[in-house]
Amino acid sequence: MKIGIVCYPTFGGSGVVATELGKALADRGHQVHFISYNQPARIDIFNSNLFYHEVNVSTYPLFDYPPYETSLASQLVNIVKNEKLDVLHVHYAIPHASAAIFAKQILADENIHIPVVTTLHGTDITLVGKDPLYEPVVSYSIKQSDVVTAVSESLKQDTYKHFHVECKEIKVIPNFIDFKKFSKLKKEHFKKLIAPNNEFLIVHTSNFRKVKRVDDVVKVFAGILAQQPAKLLLIGDGPERTNIEHLSKELNVQESVMFLGKQEAIDEILSVSDLFLLPSENESFGLAALEAMACEVPVVSSNAGGIGEMNLNGFSGYTLDVGDVEGMIEKSLEILKSAESLAQFKQNAFAQAKKFDIENILPMYEEIYTSLLIKKV
Ligand code: GMT
């Protein structure tokens, strides 16, 4: 099959899911065309089934806001025709779904039928999408997509709550891990380097936006540090970083907090970590936590959105109410209280992550593409 994948090229979750899905589809013999404004992170250019098309936006003095969506729609039309694509799979509703629907309608005018699969990821629904500024376009794009998927049951319900799309079936296909490419590595020397006194390594990865509540990460860490020797590894960057630096100083834990910035080799860091914190205000799925679990790292998280569908309370870690810092400290210490307890939670975290093996999830997407192809004939 020839599949066009439209996504954000950034380190964010939806881009990672789209890229990993495309790579796995290419490994299975499909021809995959990534369409984005930059080459997606983690893409493997040495696979003969993988192609990358850059979306260019020409500027003009009149344009305070360069028309990215128009450019994307036009280029989708050309790519579908030139590459004879069978299906377009767009990740993140804004503006990918509406651009794809526009391209679909232009192509229909030329008697070319291109099915569009839209995967909703989270903030495209729960934060940005429901903004009245975007809502009508997002609703229309959802209704006009041939198939709509959401990465959790919680996100599916949020979509029905915020948009008038009751008439549209939304399939839940959870995010996944490709264990052949992402699993615990032997990095003992690395652990010795950052935790020379065998401190517990607590980790958090995000884009440091308000919704992630990184301040709670630092507060929970301060509570852990008061009881156990530990270090906090903060991976990622974003608007909250300066506040977090200040808070670390205020709580007098700055010596034990390491800001690692954006990292590609996250699996290497996770491989030496003991506990992952994800106290988000809202989280449709929490791929970062699943990646931690795949590297045998238990998770203490909030129970917001779809996190609880992935992090099983009392098994792979604990889920607590948003903002329950004391509870998160207590449960973190419970996991770390003994070598036996930590080993059990690590084992459980891995077992839980295994349920989201790409081998189980990828066929769900292939089934959708095939059903659309059959309809097309
Ligand atoms: O805000 C982010 O976390 C980034 C965002 C994205 O689209 O890149 O992540 C969303 O999609 C991820 C992949 O499906 C999910 O794992 C994240 O939970 C989701 N983020 C939120 O819902 C806040």
Side-chain angles (χ1 to χ4, degrees), residues 11-20 42 121 151 174-178 182 205 212 266 270 276 278 280 283-294 299 306-307 310 353 356:
F11 282 95
S14 66
V16 170
V17 170
T19 312
E20 295 302 328
R42 295 191 184 184
H121 278 275
V151 297
N175 289 331
F176 51 81
I177 296 286
D178 187 342
F182 199 100
T205 316
K212 302 291 174 181
I266 287 183
L270 291 172
F276 188 92
L278 191 70
S280 307
E283 198 74 62
S284 68
F285 185 88
L287 180 65
L290 181 62
E291 290 188 334
M293 283 156 55
V299 174
I307 304 181
M310 179 255 318
F356 298 86

Side-chain angles (χ1 to χ4, degrees), residues 16 30 44 53 57 110 126 149 169 187 192 205 216 226 232-233 244 251 257 278 290 295 332 356:
V16 170
H30 300 289
D44 174 8
H53 305 261
V57 187
E110 298 178 31
T126 56
T149 75
E169 185 199 351
K187 291 279 160 193
K192 281 205 183 94
T205 316
D216 281 1
L232 175 63
L233 309 179
I244 298 312
L251 298 177
V257 178
L278 191 70
L290 181 62
C295 293
S332 299
F356 298 86

